Amino acid sequence: MNQQWKNEIRQDLNQLKQMALKRELREVHQASQPWLNLKDRTMLNLASNNYLGLAGDERLQEASIKAVKAHGSGATASRLIVGNHPLYEEAEEALLTWKGVPAALIMNSGYTANVGIISAFMGRNDVVFSDRWNHASIVDGIILSRAEHIRYRHNDLNHLESLLKKSPHRRKLIVTDSVFSMDGDQADLNGLVTLKERYGAMLMVDEAHSSGLYGGQGEGLVHSLRLQNRVDLQMGTFSKALGCFGAYVVGEEWLIQYLVNKMRSFIYTTALPPAVLGSITAAIQVVRLEHSRRVQLFEHSYYLRKQLEQLGFCIGEGNTQIIPIITGTNEATMKFSGRLQEEGIAAIAVRPPTVPENQSRIRLTVMATHQRKDLDWAIEKLARVGRELGVIS
Ligand SMILES: *Cc1c(COP(=O)(O)O)cnc(C)c1O
């Protein structure tokens, strides 16, 4: 590597630091719990995606241990070689019954799922219509596919329709998050289904933040709106509400068969380790049965939202377990987050490019395993620090 290259990279890092955009790794203990430990301090965990508290659940841990003992620590190869250990069938069976769909496939992560699914189905002469606020893995999948990438304004279906109308492409894919990860609002899935049917497009929904949370058994937002037979591909993860790791896609048999044959991020990677599959099957069982966790989560979310709104915080339009406090500049967000951490709240700053310029925010997430008194304690601190920094008056 020559000196010039080295200097450029150092400069880039310095610039990130100056713009309050530099990211750092920090060691976290007890992250699966409602109270975690960061920088040697106990903090209320308002930062994880472990919405139902299942990542710390003993039944999932036991299932993992059992799976390791029976099948070893590694899958040894990709699923199409010899990595397709028996726990896959068990987990995919559980997934199929849960989602009530014809076919299902488990893959390694939400990121690799989105990158692989989109690039398997779409190519150079096709077009993908993507909500402007979709997750980065969707964006990367579209780029990798080489299809035309058309971003429609967030949740603006009139805009989407005007773009669909103009499109001469033979293959059209509409893709959206069900619950948007940084704003905590929902996509208009009914409207999207109408448009995809009207314009002969395919619709893919990413349920990373809704699987496990909506519907009587946590089937997801698509299912809770009874759209499971009208959405072509439902993708989701086991890494958030289900407290494990990995991702899935469900849909018609021929779509899933195609992915097994064409999806490069499925074919050319080692299968998930047995421990993960063991916990996935256990998590599906728990999620289906324990509806009270969902009720608790949404009671908490509603309560925290209402309180923050009354205090005058700018928290957007959502109604889910993800609650943004939009503060604007990177500096203001970093200061707010730093002060909250001093006060014992793990509240993480989210900055560009994860969110648009001047929309930096603290992203709060609630857990079913929080107590109401935890939230009251946090609300009082949020109010105090918010006033101190002029975020609210
Ligand atoms: C987290 C997330 C992913 C990625 O899932 P991982 O399993 O963490 O790789 C994909 N899409 C959305 C909307 C997400 O929030």
Side-chain angles (χ1 to χ4, degrees):
M1 187 177 11
N2 68 29
Q3 194 58 39
Q4 189 187 348
W5 188 5
K6 222 179 209 169
N7 289 343
E8 281 168 13
I9 289 172
R10 288 214 176 109
Q11 260 169 26
D12 283 355
L13 281 172
N14 266 333
Q15 199 180 9
L16 287 175
K17 197 165 183 178
Q18 273 157 22
M19 295 165 72
L21 284 175
K22 188 145 182 275
R23 299 166 188 238
E24 306 277 356
L25 287 168
R26 291 167 312 180
E27 186 169 299
V28 185
H29 297 256
Q30 300 294 314
S32 66
Q33 301 303 317
W35 290 80
L36 53 68
N37 203 290
L38 181 67
K39 301 178 188 163
D40 284 328
R41 294 205 44 199
T42 300
M43 296 186 198
L44 183 65
N45 185 357
L46 292 176
S48 85
N49 300 318
N50 180 22
Y51 305 124
L52 298 176
L54 290 178
D57 193 282
E58 280 209 4
R59 292 163 292 180
L60 275 60
Q61 295 172 20
E62 289 302 326
S64 276
I65 293 164
K66 209 173 130 204
V68 174
K69 297 269 190 210
H71 301 278
S73 55
T76 80
S78 71
R79 289 191 67 182
L80 288 166
I81 309 296
V82 292
N84 202 34
H85 49 83
L87 300 180
Y88 266 109
E89 192 180 325
E90 217 173 289
E92 280 172 348
E93 216 26 69
L95 177 62
L96 273 185
T97 320
W98 181 35
K99 300 281 178 184
V101 284
L105 189 67
I106 291 179
M107 36 211 155
N108 285 14
S109 75
Y111 185 89
T112 58
N114 280 336
V115 165
I117 295 166
I118 297 171
S119 60
F121 284 115
M122 307 307 282
R124 226 177 259 289
N125 300 316
D126 307 327
V127 59
V128 185
F129 298 92
S130 171
D131 189 292
R132 193 177 282 280
W133 291 358
N134 276 343
H135 191 261
S137 54
I138 293 177
V139 175
D140 291 359
I142 301 168
I143 293 170
L144 187 65
S145 76
R146 299 186 176 88
E148 191 174 335
H149 183 180
I150 299 186
R151 299 169 81 199
Y152 58 92
R153 288 193 288 269
H154 177 57
N155 262 342
D156 184 342
L157 298 201
N158 290 327
H159 186 218
L160 173 60
E161 181 158 26
S162 73
L163 296 166
L164 279 163
K165 239 180 222 161
K166 281 191 288 205
S167 155
H169 304 78
R170 195 170 50 93
R171 262 193 204 186
K172 308 178 182 77
L173 170 68
I174 303 169
V175 57
T176 187
D177 288 12
S178 53
V179 167
F180 288 87
S181 51
M182 292 301 142
D183 284 75
D185 57 343
Q186 296 177 358
D188 175 1
L189 294 180
N190 274 303
L192 287 168
V193 163
T194 305
L195 286 185
K196 83 111 192 169
E197 286 170 356
R198 187 175 298 157
Y199 293 93
M202 171 156 128
L203 177 61
M204 170 172 165
V205 177
D206 177 341
E207 296 234 46
H209 295 283
S210 53
S211 197
L213 302 184
Y214 293 88
Q217 299 188 25
E219 298 92 330
L221 194 60
V222 169
H223 203 284
S224 77
L225 298 168
R226 299 176 196 281
L227 294 172
Q228 65 270 32
N229 299 320
R230 295 170 74 192
V231 170
D232 301 283
L233 289 167
Q234 300 172 57
M235 168 272 171
T237 68
F238 300 113
S239 48
K240 290 169 179 156
L242 279 91
C244 311
F245 186 70
Y248 65 82
V249 61
V250 296
E252 285 186 36
E253 182 70 35
W254 58 278
L255 288 168
I256 302 303
Q257 281 302 315
Y258 191 78
L259 289 173
V260 170
N261 285 275
K262 296 282 188 181
M263 181 175 159
R264 293 169 66 86
S265 66
F266 173 82
I267 299 169
Y268 298 107
T269 195
T270 300
L272 286 169
V276 171
L277 270 301
S279 65
I280 288 174
T281 307
I284 293 174
Q285 284 160 0
V286 173
V287 148
R288 293 184 67 179
L289 289 174
E290 297 186 353
H291 187 64
S292 57
R293 286 178 188 264
R294 284 182 278 280
V295 173
Q296 191 63 258
L297 177 71
F298 286 113
E299 271 178 26
H300 284 341
S301 311
Y302 181 79
Y303 181 70
L304 184 57
R305 265 183 193 284
K306 270 274 163 286
Q307 299 294 319
L308 293 177
E309 206 163 55
Q310 275 167 17
L311 285 166
F313 284 108
C314 174
I315 61 167
E317 311 275 293
N319 60 350
T320 67
Q321 76 285 0
I322 300 168
I323 309 173
I325 298 184
I326 299 161
T327 43
T329 67
N330 306 335
E331 289 77 10
T333 306
M334 290 309 287
K335 196 179 263 177
F336 196 19
S337 156
R339 279 290 293 119
L340 290 174
Q341 288 178 28
E342 282 168 16
E343 295 287 332
I345 298 178
I348 301 303
V350 186
R351 294 161 286 171
T354 310
V355 293
E357 288 297 332
N358 295 316
Q359 289 195 31
S360 286
R361 66 197 59 197
I362 306 290
R363 174 183 181 266
L364 302 178
T365 50
V366 183
M367 293 170 71
T369 44
H370 284 136
Q371 310 271 320
R372 174 64 74 89
K373 66 176 188 320
D374 298 336
L375 298 181
D376 283 328
W377 177 88
I379 289 159
E380 193 249 300
K381 304 238 167 194
L382 282 156
R384 185 143 46 79
V385 176
R387 283 190 196 107
E388 174 193 311
L389 298 179
V391 178
I392 52 172
S393 52

